Amino acid sequence: MIKKTHHFKNMRAMAIQQTPLKSEKRILLEHEHVPEINKIDVYTSKGGYSALKKVFQNKMTPDSVIDLMKASGLRGRGGAGFPTGSKWSFVPKGNDKPKYLLCNADESEPGTFKDRVLLEKLPHLMIEGMIIGAYSFGARKSYVYIRGEYTYAAMMVEKAIQEAYQVGYLGKNILGSGFDHDMYVHRGAGAYICGEETGLISSLEGKKGWPKLKPPFPAVEGYLKCPTVVNNVETLACVPWIINNGPEAYAKMGTEKSKGTKMWSVSGDVAQPGVYEVELGAPFSVLLNDCCGGIRGGKKLKAVIPGGSSAPIVTAEEAFAMTLDYESIASKGSMLGSGGMIILDESRDLVQVLKNLSEFYADESCGQCTPCREGTGWLEKILHSFTEKQALKTDIELLDRISSNMLGRTICVLADSIAMPVQSYLKKFPQEFQKYLETSSNTSRQRRAL
Amino acid sequence: MAKVKITVNGKELEVEAGKNLVDAAEENGFEIPHYCYHPGLSIAGQCRMCYVEQEGNPKLQVACNMKCSDGLKVKTDTPKVTDAVKWSLEFHLINHPIDCPICDQAGECGLQEYYMKHGKYKSEMHEEKELKPKVVDIGDQVVLDKERCILCSRCVRFTQEISKTSELGIFSRGDRSVIGTVNDSPLTGNYQTNVVDICPVGALTSKDFRFEQRVWFLDETQSICSGCSKGCNVDVHHKKGKHIYRLKPRYNEQVNSYWMCDKGRVTYKDSNFDRRLSNAKLGGVDLPHAEAIAAWAADLKVLIATERTEEIGVWITPHQTNEELVSIFETFATQLKTNKFYSESVETLVQKDEAVDGFLLRSDPYPNSRGFLKTSKEKKIKLQSIEDLIKALEKETISHLVIICPEGERQFPHMSRISQMVKPSQFVVILTPQNAAIEMFPSALSLPTLSHYEKAGTMINHAEISQSLEAGFQMFKESRSIQQTMKDLLEAQAKRAESRERMAN
């Protein structure tokens, strides 16, 4: 309990005020510290909505907006890292059906809280990006699907949308362009799976938040069977900067395949957990030491979960050897994901960590596909046997085999989200599991096994 | 439909373009295991059993979400596929109670079937299983066992897409997911038992059939439902032709697709022994069939000898097959030369016939009204109404009344009216499979005939589709088909005429 309070205090500190650090590269969070930046007049006074004006006053064509995005190299910040410009260009043209833009603000991956800062403090940045995005593929309506627990964030976005309507950035004939757009807030009811692209669509349609079988892909048949694009909050928030500063300036930042900046929400055993924006390709130590003030209590780093709880774990050595971009993290067998980084110091018991995660995924599996529905629960039970010191010798190998038979076998990637971590923990920290096996008495379980 | 070429396991097949790969493969002898896929429902893709390897795609694909297009190349038998199927089945089974000995589905269970073919055999599940409610009452027809359920969602999709009653849903998440109804309200409508048919496991069982019989003792005979003019194609499940246990819908794209209604499903009960006339009877006393025929022929002899055959009246219902009707009309109209045929106003029933609930069930309660009208027209039979019959009985222009096959309760009011009008001098013969109507005519001669599901022949449904019934069994030794009875009668009659001639000589 004490530990939790401690974390909570730090989180609050993050949410209140954070002046930019030298080691950061802030393009999204540039004005985050400005008081009342969530209000439209303050936002506009800091250059807000200039990108929107640029698009409409310069009479940029929808295709040229998409071309700009493609040139910038912007990739989706929700986890999958799909190029945004391409995603928008997949929406079929000349289709009679209405098109929709859905903003995925159902930030529910454990360890991830970067979108929350944008939603609470810079809702207009996201709204501006959404209007431009919607214009690029002709969506007349967009929805911001906000995680149910984000009550305050939903309120801020709701207010911001109203403000945007009042000044004519939303509604009919935006800035005399002839483009109409309406925006709505939809609040989730508390399911992790509704952050999955098609699960979100099902939920928005009023159904149970079950991911949909692909094909058809949302760009062709999504929300209400109409062409739909689902983008993450951070992705959309990048759009105004790219319009204002040009794709070249954006592409100049980062590495060859990872352009621009990335917001990281760092939690766990660091001195200053919080949200930090750094250039893609920055060394891990910059984020850990310069931004977060190093490991809390002078302890040593044991492991890092780089991109939200579903990302495979990396060891301390691997972490220090990697740079913060898609390719480098992938080369260490993990993924950049949502940028929800969890730092684990030497005192952490990784079997307990994994058990904790498996409980989460077993609870959150939507129950649609058999391997995930049954597999997540099975993994949880076996990991529970480890921590209860009742594991069997065969259980390590069994965990690995169950995971490999869940990987890539389901409609969405929730099964992968626990299968990949299980495999990585087993591979990178086998001694932790072995330790439990040595102390297991396992009499009662063995009797059952017989 | 355009044809395309696909390749399954290296064998080139020509199939319809856009056909579901599961069906296309199955038609050509390649079985792709599946639970959630049902050709009559939308695609769910969630059981993850129908994996195939597609050329050029490193990831396993589910066949149920693949449409046949030219050049599609898949493999269903690679080690990767068989291993994945094995594990998918293992995932299905880890929380399944495996209570086959007390499960009604045993013998026709998808889990049992695939376990033999694709089972992992050595289960590695050593944890405690998830426990869920069993024997949950969800309406008049169906019992739910949430533990046995594999959450394939077929039943949910059925209530959403076919019956459009939407009562069923999947509640909760993960391995705690269960099928259920909102606020535990019961299933409604006339199509509930279809969810039992499409349930691949023992989760949904029929109250009517539950614990009545092990399915491996059952034989199947193809027939047509006798419940209404729709003529749903059915399989009659009976044990060695001695007892019928259930009806199951048989696929017919033009008539009932994969479904049938609950009202139709219980029509088999009229065929079973407790409702049947097992022996010929005269005045309530059993007698051998041949003697009963002789008694009938004796009465006819008098009428023929005195040239009063026009005093024969025939009450007839559209329960018969076209072939039966032909033999009846030929016997009485052609041979015995009467023109007194009576029936309900079938013409009106046909004119007013409509789908009662927007789906299968129709307002005309007879399975062969169209055939009845067609045959009577062909044989130039003029049908009179019940009022005409009552008048004729009153005036005693009828002295010999033949009542043919009153089946089911609908005929009771007519039978009761007729029985009140019949005078002791009027000879009544009843040809029926059932014992119910006989009690109203205590002194009549009754002859047992075949029940609907024992008959062979053709019937014409509401859409003028002629469909055939297959004769598979005869439940009572003493019962005869109508054609046989007519033949026996005419033979007995001829014999009597012959002997009379001999005596006269």
Side-chain angles (χ1 to χ4, degrees):
Chain A
M1 282 313 287
I2 299 162
K3 262 180 202 158
K4 271 187 182 165
T5 326
H6 180 77
H7 274 258
F8 187 60
K9 268 186 183 166
N10 273 312
M11 297 270 284
R12 286 294 294 256
M14 173 278 297
I16 292 163
Q17 202 70 218
Q18 214 176 54
T19 44
L21 300 169
K22 266 189 196 160
S23 42
E24 282 188 274
K25 174 88 182 176
R26 290 193 165 197
I27 63 166
L28 301 177
L29 297 177
E30 194 181 352
H31 305 298
E32 183 250 355
H33 60 286
V34 177
E36 301 199 312
I37 187 71
N38 59 307
K39 296 210 165 118
I40 197 162
D41 42 352
V42 182
Y43 177 72
T44 318
S45 73
K46 294 284 172 190
Y49 286 108
S50 52
L52 186 71
K53 286 174 193 152
K54 192 173 170 184
V55 169
F56 288 143
Q57 281 159 8
N58 292 2
K59 296 205 165 54
M60 283 172 72
T61 61
D63 282 342
S64 66
V65 175
I66 291 179
D67 290 341
L68 275 186
M69 287 305 131
K70 280 184 178 165
S72 75
L74 175 64
R75 291 169 69 171
R77 300 291 192 234
F82 194 82
T84 309
S86 306
K87 202 178 206 174
W88 291 356
S89 69
F90 289 158
V91 176
K93 289 188 175 60
N95 194 326
D96 293 343
K97 285 181 179 175
K99 302 171 185 77
Y100 295 96
L101 170 65
L102 310 183
C103 173
N104 187 346
D106 190 74
E107 186 175 47
S108 35
E109 178 95 353
T112 312
F113 44 91
K114 43 116 191 158
D115 290 342
R116 183 179 158 192
V117 178
L118 293 171
L119 293 166
E120 290 181 359
K121 294 196 168 175
L122 292 154
H124 285 292
L125 191 62
M126 173 192 78
I127 293 168
E128 190 180 354
M130 281 175 76
I131 302 167
I132 297 166
Y135 170 72
S136 79
F137 61 89
R140 293 286 189 83
K141 275 183 186 170
S142 60
Y143 294 85
V144 187
Y145 188 100
I146 301 187
R147 175 181 183 182
E149 290 87 340
Y150 280 6
T151 319
Y152 182 66
M155 209 165 75
M156 299 317 274
V157 175
E158 192 85 68
K159 270 187 195 164
I161 290 175
Q162 281 168 17
E163 287 176 334
Y165 267 109
Q166 277 160 14
V167 296
Y169 295 150
L170 282 172
K172 296 248 178 281
N173 193 15
I174 298 168
L175 298 174
S177 62
F179 177 65
D180 306 335
H181 192 75
D182 287 311
M183 195 177 287
Y184 308 90
V185 168
H186 183 95
R187 292 183 58 194
Y192 173 68
I193 196 60
C194 293
E196 198 273 345
E197 191 175 44
T198 52
L200 187 151
I201 291 172
S202 294
S203 174
L204 198 62
E205 285 170 344
K207 299 176 189 154
K208 194 173 176 169
W210 273 13
K212 296 182 181 197
L213 197 58
K214 285 174 260 190
F217 289 90
V220 181
E221 209 174 274
Y223 178 57
L224 303 177
K225 301 207 163 183
C226 296
T228 303
V229 168
V230 184
N231 281 136
N232 174 257
V233 176
E234 189 187 344
T235 317
L236 291 163
C238 291
V239 174
W241 196 94
I242 296 169
I243 302 283
N244 281 328
N245 300 278
E248 300 79 14
Y250 192 82
K252 215 180 266 174
M253 295 181 287
T255 66
E256 194 200 334
K257 284 180 183 163
S258 313
K259 305 293 187 194
T261 64
K262 175 82 188 88
M263 287 168 68
W264 294 87
S265 55
V266 188
S267 62
D269 303 317
V270 288
Q272 288 151 14
V275 176
Y276 302 92
E277 187 180 355
V278 297
E279 200 174 326
L280 278 158
F284 167 72
S285 59
V286 168
L287 185 62
L288 178 67
N289 297 324
D290 302 355
C291 297
C292 301
I295 305 286
R296 189 174 55 214
K299 291 202 178 112
K300 271 186 9 197
L301 178 70
K302 185 184 212 170
V304 177
I305 303 169
S309 61
S310 61
I313 202 163
V314 297
T315 63
E317 299 79 63
E318 287 171 329
F320 283 118
M322 76 187 179
T323 52
L324 300 174
D325 51 77
Y326 293 98
E327 314 90 277
S328 176
I329 299 177
S331 74
K332 303 290 180 250
S334 187
M335 57 186 193
L336 185 139
S338 61
M341 187 179 280
I342 303 169
I343 306 289
L344 300 159
D345 75 20
E346 57 188 337
S347 67
R348 295 295 169 184
D349 180 339
L350 293 183
V351 179
Q352 292 280 4
V353 170
L354 188 60
K355 189 199 94 178
N356 191 333
L357 284 182
S358 72
E359 279 171 7
F360 175 81
Y361 286 99
D363 186 46
E364 294 291 349
S365 166
C366 81
Q368 188 175 200
C369 307
T370 312
C372 174
R373 177 182 70 234
E374 306 294 338
T376 51
W378 195 1
L379 290 174
E380 182 206 350
K381 284 173 184 168
I382 295 173
L383 287 163
H384 199 259
S385 295
F386 269 95
T387 57
E388 292 294 303
K389 309 211 163 166
Q390 290 200 340
L392 302 173
K393 279 193 186 110
T394 50
D395 279 347
I396 292 185
E397 192 239 357
L398 182 59
L399 280 174
D400 189 48
R401 285 207 292 142
I402 296 170
S403 308
S404 59
N405 281 292
M406 289 164 68
L407 261 176
R409 300 276 169 85
T410 47
I411 291 175
C412 81
V413 291
L414 193 140
D416 300 18
S417 299
I418 185 64
M420 286 191 307
V422 167
Q423 291 191 328
S424 71
Y425 287 54
L426 288 169
K427 191 179 158 202
K428 292 184 177 169
F429 298 94
Q431 68 284 5
E432 304 251 336
F433 293 85
Q434 212 60 45
K435 206 169 66 198
Y436 272 99
L437 267 191
E438 281 157 18
T439 52
S440 283
S441 61
N442 74 37
T443 45
S444 59
R445 260 183 103 244
Q446 252 180 351
R447 220 174 294 133
R448 263 211 305 283
L450 288 170
Chain B
M1 213 38 179
K3 294 272 180 185
V4 290
K5 278 190 177 138
I6 66 166
T7 312
V8 179
N9 296 348
K11 192 181 165 192
E12 198 168 88
L13 310 171
E14 207 178 64
V15 297
E16 267 174 36
K19 198 176 181 68
N20 193 291
L21 180 58
V22 176
D23 293 335
E26 197 173 289
E27 276 170 20
N28 290 286
F30 299 100
E31 195 217 5
I32 299 178
H34 59 273
Y35 289 127
C36 69
Y37 172 69
H38 187 284
L41 300 170
S42 64
I43 308 293
Q46 60 195 60
C47 73
R48 317 308 284 183
M49 290 290 291
C50 61
Y51 292 123
V52 291
E53 236 180 301
Q54 187 187 3
E55 199 178 84
N57 197 333
K59 217 177 138 183
L60 289 178
Q61 299 294 305
V62 283
C64 69
N65 199 32
M66 291 170 97
K67 300 257 180 290
C68 290
S69 57
D70 216 15
L72 180 73
K73 281 185 182 169
V74 294
K75 282 185 175 164
T76 67
D77 57 356
T78 64
K80 199 174 166 187
V81 171
T82 50
D83 199 51
V85 172
K86 210 172 257 189
W87 267 89
S88 254
L89 187 61
E90 176 73 357
F91 283 125
H92 275 97
L93 286 166
I94 59 168
N95 283 313
H96 185 81
I98 319 195
D99 54 350
C100 311
I102 56 155
C103 178
D104 227 36
Q105 189 83 359
E108 54 179 3
C109 171
L111 288 171
Q112 287 182 332
E113 191 184 324
Y114 288 155
Y115 184 74
M116 300 313 291
K117 288 180 191 161
H118 313 287
K120 202 158 90 60
Y121 293 157
K122 195 173 170 292
S123 177
E124 292 168 276
M125 172 71 174
H126 303 313
E127 315 302 323
E128 277 181 30
K129 293 185 181 219
E130 288 295 318
L131 302 179
K132 291 173 188 174
K134 295 176 85 75
V135 203
V136 184
D137 191 331
I138 54 163
D140 305 337
Q141 313 289 341
V142 185
V143 176
L144 167 65
D145 186 313
K146 299 187 182 185
E147 261 182 2
R148 291 178 192 156
C149 176
I150 56 165
L151 296 154
C152 69
S153 83
R154 273 186 184 186
C155 56
V156 177
R157 282 175 281 144
F158 174 82
T159 60
Q160 283 170 356
E161 296 162 15
I162 309 294
S163 73
K164 305 216 163 60
T165 46
S166 298
E167 300 106 341
L168 286 168
I170 293 181
F171 297 82
S172 196
R173 292 194 298 229
D175 54 12
R176 290 99 45 226
S177 302
V178 284
I179 294 281
T181 54
V182 178
N183 296 332
D184 297 325
S185 56
L187 292 179
T188 54
N190 190 21
Y191 299 92
Q192 300 170 28
T193 319
N194 287 303
V195 300
V196 176
D197 295 336
I198 57 176
C199 181
V201 298
L204 293 165
T205 47
S206 153
K207 279 188 184 170
D208 186 45
F209 180 68
R210 233 167 116 76
F211 307 131
E212 291 293 324
Q213 192 54 255
R214 280 304 195 186
V215 297
W216 50 84
F217 294 122
L218 295 178
D219 303 316
E220 285 178 24
T221 304
Q222 299 190 345
S223 193
I224 302 297
C225 175
S226 68
C228 74
S229 64
K230 186 78 191 177
C232 293
N233 293 210
V234 295
D235 278 325
V236 183
H237 289 214
H238 56 91
K239 190 172 177 181
K240 296 184 174 142
K242 295 297 166 209
H243 191 95
I244 301 179
Y245 284 91
R246 63 177 176 186
L247 300 180
K248 286 236 168 201
R250 180 160 47 87
Y251 176 65
N252 186 330
E253 196 186 347
Q254 288 179 304
V255 182
N256 56 318
S257 185
Y258 300 90
W259 325 112
M260 76 179 287
C261 78
D262 293 342
K263 285 208 175 100
R265 269 175 210 270
V266 292
T267 52
Y268 76 86
K269 293 193 175 180
D270 286 341
S271 291
N272 280 342
F273 67 96
D274 52 339
R275 297 191 188 173
R276 288 292 292 278
L277 177 66
S278 53
N279 270 304
K281 281 184 203 294
L282 181 58
V285 182
D286 285 2
L287 73 165
H289 199 270
E291 282 181 30
I293 292 282
W296 189 3
D299 197 73
L300 284 176
K301 184 194 79 176
V302 179
L303 293 176
I304 295 165
T306 52
E307 291 182 356
R308 290 190 293 131
T309 51
E310 76 275 10
E311 282 179 26
I312 301 170
V314 184
W315 171 264
I316 188 165
T317 66
H319 279 120
Q320 288 77 26
T321 64
N322 297 326
E323 294 72 13
E324 286 174 331
L325 290 166
V326 167
S327 84
I328 292 165
F329 292 144
E330 279 182 354
T331 306
F332 291 102
T334 319
Q335 306 273 342
L336 296 170
K337 303 197 169 29
T338 179
N339 58 4
K340 293 197 172 67
F341 290 90
Y342 304 92
S343 79
E344 246 182 287
S345 174
V346 180
E347 204 116 9
T348 323
L349 284 174
V350 167
Q351 274 162 11
K352 289 188 177 163
D353 192 14
E354 57 179 5
V356 172
D357 50 12
F359 190 27
L360 299 175
L361 184 67
R362 298 189 70 84
S363 60
D364 176 2
Y366 297 115
N368 195 28
S369 296
R370 269 71 173 180
F372 182 76
L373 293 179
K374 190 176 165 229
T375 320
S376 55
K377 206 170 279 171
E378 277 171 9
K379 294 285 166 193
K380 299 196 172 61
I381 303 293
K382 194 174 162 286
L383 291 158
Q384 301 176 57
S385 73
I386 175 107
E387 306 302 332
D388 299 329
L389 176 58
I390 298 291
K391 260 182 234 160
L393 286 169
E394 210 168 29
K395 288 186 194 159
E396 297 191 41
T397 50
I398 287 177
S399 63
H400 184 109
L401 177 64
V402 183
I403 300 174
I404 292 169
C405 284
E407 278 188 60
E409 283 176 12
R410 194 186 159 82
Q411 287 287 323
F412 283 10
H414 301 314
M415 290 300 111
S416 148
R417 276 185 78 184
I418 296 168
S419 68
Q420 282 162 18
M421 295 310 299
V422 171
K423 300 190 174 71
S425 60
Q426 292 166 328
F427 188 82
V428 179
V429 182
I430 308 178
L431 269 63
T432 179
Q434 289 175 6
N435 54 21
I438 305 241
E439 286 151 20
M440 296 180 199
F441 300 91
S443 58
L445 173 70
S446 42
L447 288 155
T449 58
L450 296 179
S451 71
H452 179 87
Y453 292 109
E454 296 164 278
K455 286 177 186 173
T458 58
M459 289 190 171
I460 298 173
N461 84 343
H462 75 101
E464 303 289 342
I465 299 171
S466 179
Q467 309 192 91
S468 63
L469 294 78
E470 179 188 78
F473 52 98
Q474 185 181 0
M475 293 162 87
F476 292 94
K477 213 171 65 195
E478 287 294 291
S479 63
R480 301 280 187 278
S481 68
I482 299 239
Q483 292 97 313
Q484 187 63 45
T485 310
M486 292 297 121
K487 196 170 158 241
D488 289 351
L489 177 67
L490 290 175
E491 273 173 14
Q493 161 58 36
K495 245 182 228 164
R496 285 194 163 264
E498 215 174 89
S499 61
R500 198 178 54 211
E501 268 171 37
R502 260 206 310 274
M503 276 166 75
N505 292 339

